[in-house]
Amino acid sequence: PGFVESSCHSRIFWMKLNKLLLQGKFFQLEINDPYAGPVLLDEKLASRCGYVLSEDVWGNPVFRASVLGCHVANEADELFSLTVNIKVSSFSSMRAAVTYAYPMYCSYSSWASREIVCEENYMEVSVKTDVPAVSNDYTVAWMSALPETQNVAYQLWQLMFVSPSGRKRITVSDAAKLGYSFNNTLSRVYLRAPYHSNESDVSVVSGVNMNMVTSTSMYRQRWLLLLIDTTVSCPVDGISFTDTTLTWTVPSVIPTLVVQESTFLSKNILMGVDDQVIVSPEEKNYLLEHNETHIRVTIPIGAEGGKLKSSISGGVYGVIYSIDLFLEHTWTDADWQTTKYTVIKSITTPFMPQMPTVVNNTLPEDRLFNVAFGHFLPDVSLVAIAIGNVPFTLKEAQHHGFKIYETPFSNRTKGFILEVSFDDPYVLKEYVNRNETKYTLLVNYTISVGPEMTLYYHSAEVECVVADIALPEAVGYCDEENLYLAFPTFGLHQYWNLYLGNKLLNRHVALTNGYLATTNSTHLILQIPLFAVGVIYEEVSFQKIKARFDVALRKVRTMETLQMFSVTCSFHSSAFIICHPDGTIMISAQMKTVPAIDMSKTKLRDSSCKPREYNEGHAFFKFHVTTCGTSVRFEGDHIIYENEISYEKEILPGQGVPMITRDPDYRLTILCYYRAKETLVLGAFASDPSTSPPFGSGTMVPRSNIAVYRRIRQALNVVSRVSKDESFVEFYEPNMAILKRPVEPVFLEVELKDESPDTELYLENCWVTRSLDFNSIPRWNITVNG
């Protein structure tokens, strides 16, 4: 049949069945005896009859048989034939089996005086019997010397075993019951013995454990007593491993087989793989070396002729290497002219863990992960992956857009390449450093290992950092009353945020502080009134204000400051009050009186506090809240500092009675409001105190003794609200944007909270603006001049 191949080497039949052609089938082997018919091959029969049934490293069934085995046809110890019946069935019960008779032939005439074969399951020794006859006179003396031979049966082979427990003499038929096989051919006698029998012994030779059966085969005729040494000794270990090699060691000289070691001469040493002799081992990177004590074969793990097999042990991936070797050593000595010693050994390494590697071959400019996963043997296949904990079959992965393919490596292994776009939704993205994105690919591989298809899982995390983010650049400018900053909207709130101090600058903060935020398709434009919260006043005089507004660009996750955006402008303002967080108050007071007053003679409550700068209509004061007679009081959650600017009329002597006056001609009350529980930062601000800004805010209330005879020196507490309808029951929340059409009425309530009966409220001018800055334009008047 086409699924069988055979050969004959070193007097051994070799037959191999092709597992691929037998796939899905069951088979049995029968030995076809030319006289008795077919005999089913089993394990017990195999070791006694000189058969071996195993598998090679590739999983192909292998049958080996000694030419001296049972049921082998022998022609003059030169031509040998054996027929094996191969029964093939689709059923495990072997019903409906097809039988193929496969004859094998072996020609072997170059017998050595002694030949020993150490097979996997038996030891065999065969010896030539062409020895000269011994005379009767000498026979009597020989038998006297060996009392055990006195009882040797006439014309019957018997065996005598020598072991640590003593000597045992048994017949051939009794030996067969113990698993031995003894027979003679035309010119030879052979003994086949199992390993580790009761009659065997274990000895250590040059560090190698040897299983030894010491025996003498005896045959007596009328004038002849034939004694043949049929001792056999075979190695049972001698295998060692490193991470990269396996070494097989066999003793060069075995004392039980070479009695006169001084006459030992090694003639030839051959090694082979399977049934093939390796003429030049070095060409296959094998190392065959020997000395007076050892013969050593060293094979690199993974070398040609053997097989690496993937395996999983304890959830760990690794490999096992197997190779079928034989060693043939021929020597001479004084007792045995020539001995041919053959050892057949199947060697398999222990499990060798091999952690798969994940290599990141990604080129950032391609914006594509390229990840290699390996190295694996051909018996490994990728069956599934998970990206970002989302499982995909290979078909689903390809459909999604992942690219997966195998790639060969130089050492006869392979790997799996995975390509995933940076922009894939399952790729994690994190903004890092100043202008970089860290792309993270979380992948879990599922591979199938070996013919058993054992599943193995391996997870990996691959990162790539790419400088693909451009930091925004802000543009600043000003008009007569506002500062402006324009920011690109790209990345805003995704990578970074804008911060005013330590507070996130969102729409609520912008509205509360009186900023106007507008956006277009590319930019956020922030309008900051000159006297809004957050404006820093670098230089203040009654002629000009140099103001700056700072915004920090910070990372969304880490709050790290990446950049500061600033706009700085100079403004001209006729009247203002600035309350610095550090308690410094700066006032530019515009005093319109009839007749005009001398601004150089204005003062604060402490008359030593004079204006720092002045002209005909303005006076500029700068002082601290702890000086110049400033008073302090608490109202709710605010601290209020109060002072006043006054001017005392100079009394000149003249005609008539002098005028005595108690009050100054002009008073301007100054109020600065601070939140009692806020931490103050550097900067100065001015706005309406009703908005409860986080920093100082101020107001100026002019008073003149000409308008009212005697007024209490305090600010009026006036509150205004917008009602939702004419009932004045429900009111809009403060700082809430109110939308009205031009024809709709506005229901406005203005209330004076002062309890003094001498105070009256007159609503002189009232108007509406688009922002919290009441000086902004456009404006819509509600009342004008009362």
Side-chain angles (χ1 to χ4, degrees), residues 91-208:
F91 307 97
S92 59
S93 63
M94 298 305 296
R95 63 185 175 88
V98 177
T99 301
Y100 302 93
Y102 189 79
M104 293 183 289
Y105 303 94
C106 198
S107 175
Y108 188 71
S109 57
S110 58
W111 289 94
S113 300
R114 177 175 61 176
E115 296 208 0
I116 295 174
V117 174
C118 299
E119 256 286 10
E120 293 183 23
N121 58 344
Y122 67 86
M123 303 180 289
E124 182 183 272
V125 55
S126 71
V127 180
K128 279 187 177 182
T129 57
D130 54 346
V131 293
V134 180
S135 68
N136 188 49
D137 295 336
Y138 285 100
T139 303
V140 174
W142 181 265
M143 293 179 67
S144 301
L146 293 174
E148 292 83 356
T149 65
Q150 295 283 348
N151 300 320
V152 173
Y154 185 68
Q155 291 186 339
L156 184 68
W157 283 100
Q158 288 184 299
L159 301 173
M160 183 177 66
F161 295 100
V162 180
S163 66
S165 61
R167 301 181 179 220
K168 179 190 295 186
R169 180 171 54 83
I170 59 176
T171 64
V172 172
S173 59
D174 288 337
K177 296 176 182 177
L178 298 176
Y180 295 91
S181 181
F182 176 86
N183 210 338
N184 65 302
T185 66
L186 183 65
S187 61
R188 304 188 74 81
V189 169
Y190 65 85
L191 173 69
R192 194 174 301 113
Y195 285 94
H196 308 297
S197 65
N198 291 332
E199 295 73 33
S200 68
D201 189 20
V202 175
S203 62
V204 179
V205 179
S206 300
V208 178

Side-chain angles (χ1 to χ4, degrees), residues 572-786:
H572 296 279
S573 181
S574 59
F576 57 85
I577 176 171
I578 297 175
C579 305
H580 273 280
D582 64 357
T584 301
I585 300 176
M586 291 180 287
I587 308 158
S588 177
Q590 183 179 17
M591 302 183 182
K592 296 180 180 179
T593 60
V594 179
I597 60 176
D598 185 354
M599 302 303 292
S600 67
K601 296 179 179 179
T602 57
K603 62 181 182 63
L604 299 177
R605 283 180 178 170
D606 184 342
S607 59
S608 64
C609 295
K610 298 291 186 179
R612 299 210 175 183
E613 297 179 72
Y614 58 88
N615 60 16
E616 293 180 356
H618 292 80
F620 176 70
F621 292 87
K622 181 179 181 180
F623 61 95
H624 196 267
V625 294
T626 59
T627 61
C628 297
T630 306
S631 61
V632 60
R633 71 177 187 271
F634 293 87
E635 285 189 9
D637 59 350
H638 282 84
I639 303 175
I640 303 175
Y641 294 95
E642 180 177 337
N643 210 316
E644 67 178 13
I645 302 173
S646 62
Y647 166 80
E648 293 199 23
K649 182 170 64 176
E650 183 179 354
I651 305 301
L652 298 176
Q655 298 178 355
V657 181
M659 179 182 292
I660 301 174
T661 178
R662 183 175 179 180
D663 288 339
D665 281 340
Y666 188 90
R667 294 192 186 96
L668 183 66
T669 300
I670 305 155
L671 300 174
C672 272
Y673 296 78
Y674 292 95
R675 290 288 294 271
K677 296 181 181 180
E678 286 288 343
T679 301
L680 302 182
V681 297
L682 205 58
F685 314 94
S687 65
D688 183 354
S690 65
T691 61
S692 301
F695 310 114
S697 58
T699 185
M700 295 180 286
V701 183
R703 303 235 172 91
S704 173
N705 64 342
I706 299 174
V708 182
Y709 283 106
R710 293 182 62 83
R711 292 189 178 180
I712 298 173
R713 297 175 184 176
Q714 67 179 23
L716 298 179
N717 191 358
V718 179
V719 176
S720 63
R721 297 187 295 176
V722 178
S723 174
K724 293 184 177 181
D725 54 33
E726 65 273 12
S727 66
F728 287 90
V729 174
E730 294 186 37
F731 296 87
Y732 291 103
E733 292 293 327
N735 301 323
M736 180 179 177
I738 304 171
L739 299 177
K740 292 286 185 179
R741 288 191 292 270
V743 295
E744 284 188 272
V746 177
F747 302 98
L748 180 66
E749 177 186 272
V750 182
E751 181 182 3
L752 178 63
K753 293 289 189 179
D754 294 75
E755 299 179 356
S756 171
D758 298 329
T759 304
E760 296 181 5
L761 176 64
Y762 293 93
L763 189 59
E764 184 175 17
N765 292 300
C766 181
W767 66 92
V768 176
T769 63
R770 283 181 174 175
S771 70
L772 294 177
D773 180 13
F774 57 84
N775 290 321
S776 66
I777 55 174
R779 59 185 268 178
W780 293 269
N781 293 322
I782 297 176
T783 62
V784 178
N785 295 327

Side-chain angles (χ1 to χ4, degrees), residues 433-502:
N433 304 325
R434 289 181 59 83
N435 63 333
E436 296 174 328
T437 304
K438 181 172 74 174
Y439 298 93
T440 303
L441 179 67
L442 301 177
V443 57
N444 195 309
Y445 298 91
T446 302
I447 62 174
S448 175
V449 177
E452 304 85 3
M453 294 188 290
T454 306
L455 295 182
Y456 170 75
Y457 306 94
H458 187 89
S459 59
E461 180 175 322
V462 183
E463 295 179 353
C464 188
V465 178
V466 183
D468 56 359
I469 297 177
L471 286 179
E473 295 291 337
V475 177
Y477 55 94
C478 300
D479 60 17
E480 292 182 356
E481 298 178 342
N482 303 279
L483 300 94
Y484 295 88
L485 271 175
F487 311 90
T489 53
F490 169 76
L492 199 59
H493 310 309
Q494 179 186 1
Y495 303 131
W496 43 68
N497 279 319
L498 298 175
Y499 276 79
L500 181 63
N502 288 323

Side-chain angles (χ1 to χ4, degrees), residues 276-346:
Q276 300 296 315
V277 174
I278 305 299
V279 178
S280 302
E282 63 278 0
E283 292 181 0
K284 296 183 178 294
N285 293 321
Y286 303 158
L287 179 62
L288 175 61
E289 53 187 348
H290 63 92
N291 54 30
E292 294 180 354
T293 59
H294 295 90
I295 301 171
R296 184 171 288 117
V297 177
T298 302
I299 307 291
I301 290 176
E304 181 184 352
K307 182 187 179 184
L308 277 169
K309 175 187 174 184
S310 300
S311 182
I312 301 296
S313 178
V316 177
Y317 174 80
V319 297
I320 296 171
Y321 179 69
S322 301
I323 190 168
D324 295 331
L325 298 175
F326 71 84
L327 190 68
E328 193 175 276
H329 184 197
T330 304
W331 74 76
T332 62
D333 62 83
D335 297 309
W336 300 91
Q337 297 167 358
T338 305
T339 298
K340 182 182 286 186
Y341 188 80
T342 303
V343 186
I344 299 174
K345 193 76 171 177
S346 293

